[in-house]
Amino acid sequence: MTDHKQEAAKAAVSIINAGQTIGLGGGKTIAYLAELLAENPQLMQSLTVTSSSFETSVLLHAQGFRLVAPSFISRLDIYFDGCDVFDGALNALKSGGGIHTMEKLLASAADRFVLLGDAGKFQAALNPAFPLAIEFLPQALTIVKRRIGELFPGTRFVQRMSSEKNGALISDNGNMLADIHFDTFPAPDQLNIQVKMIPGIVEHSLFYGMAHQAIISGADGVRHIYPV
Ligand SMILES: O=C(CO)[C@H](O)[C@H](O)COP(=O)(O)O
């Protein structure tokens, strides 16, 4: 059976040129991309690579990539990442991994931000099947919760809790995380700004108008999609 995440990763390799500085996000499609690059030592050794994901960084380090911390990269040729879902304008929700702050930082530094995944990620519109994740300062917990309730009445605010200890899930940046569940998904352009403007919120997981291209694979083969 065709693994569509792997097929999308194969297509992604074809748009990478020797000598480029590449950013990789998290997830299975990205892990395939790292594996495929490692199978081409000449290309791999020519690349400078960084990642928003600790898990991907461990993988890249083990495979012998030239890995540079994001703190020392000001510009990327291409940033590749998966997502939960994206629409025709390539607005993407990237809530699942809880690392959207670093993902957005690297996406913003890239000449090209390319979404990768199976065809199921592409939907006509963002919808309530996926929440919006927020990363916020621990001190802002109840203020942010109140503000979200005022701006979006009827939404469910679910703080992410640790499965390993009794307490909050703490992000890679030492902050807290929560998911906002909507009954009707708000207009992405307004949601993007309204949530970003709440003091105490470091970043949210809607990547509005950021992606330049998506590469997906499904029953009809590989598709390259550009924002409408
Ligand atoms: O952004 C993400 C989560 O928020 C991940 O990149 C995404 O979930 C990975 O997807 P996959 O494992 O299907 O490649």
Side-chain angles (χ1 to χ4, degrees), residues 88-158:
L90 305 195
N91 299 318
L93 272 176
K94 293 179 50 55
S95 311
I99 56 169
H100 56 267
T101 299
M102 282 306 299
E103 293 178 330
K104 202 178 275 190
L105 185 66
L106 291 187
S108 76
D111 290 352
R112 289 198 77 68
F113 169 29
V114 181
L115 292 166
L116 300 179
D118 55 78
K121 308 270 182 186
F122 182 27
Q123 296 188 15
L126 301 181
N127 60 71
F130 296 95
L132 180 79
I134 51 171
E135 177 171 354
F136 54 94
L137 300 180
Q139 298 89 334
L141 171 63
T142 55
I143 295 174
V144 162
K145 191 173 176 180
R146 193 194 99 201
R147 196 78 193 101
I148 291 289
E150 287 167 355
L151 277 171
F152 308 104
T155 51
R156 263 188 323 123
F157 182 103
V158 181

Side-chain angles (χ1 to χ4, degrees), residues 188-221:
D189 55 343
Q190 289 172 34
L191 182 68
N192 178 43
I193 292 167
Q194 284 176 309
V195 178
K196 182 78 188 178
M197 290 304 291
I198 299 173
I201 290 187
V202 178
E203 196 52 83
H204 62 72
S205 65
L206 171 62
F207 286 50
Y208 177 77
M210 293 186 73
H212 300 93
Q213 180 179 356
I215 304 176
I216 55 170
S217 172
D220 302 336

Side-chain angles (χ1 to χ4, degrees), residues 1-223:
M1 207 172 102
T2 309
D3 186 328
H4 290 298
K5 294 179 200 276
Q6 194 171 30
E7 292 304 304
K10 277 185 200 163
V13 172
S14 69
I15 66 166
I16 299 174
N17 294 318
Q20 286 186 319
T21 300
I22 300 296
L24 298 181
K28 199 164 176 195
T29 317
I30 293 299
Y32 278 135
L33 176 54
E35 281 166 20
L36 290 165
L37 288 170
E39 286 170 12
N40 182 344
Q42 206 179 345
L43 176 60
M44 181 188 114
Q45 283 159 20
S46 78
L47 300 173
T48 301
V49 180
T50 194
S51 180
S52 49
S53 154
F54 178 72
E55 214 171 334
T56 302
S57 297
V58 170
L59 186 65
L60 293 168
H61 183 256
Q63 287 168 326
F65 280 84
R66 184 188 304 132
L67 183 63
V68 178
S71 317
F72 304 108
I73 298 258
S74 63
R75 191 194 68 84
L76 297 168
D77 289 297
I78 315 178
Y79 177 66
F80 294 100
D81 209 344
C83 64
D84 306 323
V85 63
F86 68 90
D87 66 15
L90 305 195
N91 299 318
L93 272 176
K94 293 179 50 55
S95 311
I99 56 169
H100 56 267
T101 299
M102 282 306 299
E103 293 178 330
K104 202 178 275 190
L105 185 66
L106 291 187
S108 76
D111 290 352
R112 289 198 77 68
F113 169 29
V114 181
L115 292 166
L116 300 179
D118 55 78
K121 308 270 182 186
F122 182 27
Q123 296 188 15
L126 301 181
N127 60 71
F130 296 95
L132 180 79
I134 51 171
E135 177 171 354
F136 54 94
L137 300 180
Q139 298 89 334
L141 171 63
T142 55
I143 295 174
V144 162
K145 191 173 176 180
R146 193 194 99 201
R147 196 78 193 101
I148 291 289
E150 287 167 355
L151 277 171
F152 308 104
T155 51
R156 263 188 323 123
F157 182 103
V158 181
Q159 186 179 358
R160 290 199 197 174
M161 303 304 285
S162 172
S163 56
E164 306 296 323
K165 68 162 176 66
N166 185 342
L169 180 68
I170 300 300
S171 76
D172 290 351
N173 311 307
N175 297 311
M176 288 179 174
L177 293 158
D179 292 310
I180 305 167
H181 296 265
F182 300 98
D183 283 339
T184 306
F185 202 84
D189 55 343
Q190 289 172 34
L191 182 68
N192 178 43
I193 292 167
Q194 284 176 309
V195 178
K196 182 78 188 178
M197 290 304 291
I198 299 173
I201 290 187
V202 178
E203 196 52 83
H204 62 72
S205 65
L206 171 62
F207 286 50
Y208 177 77
M210 293 186 73
H212 300 93
Q213 180 179 356
I215 304 176
I216 55 170
S217 172
D220 302 336
V222 170
R223 284 179 67 192

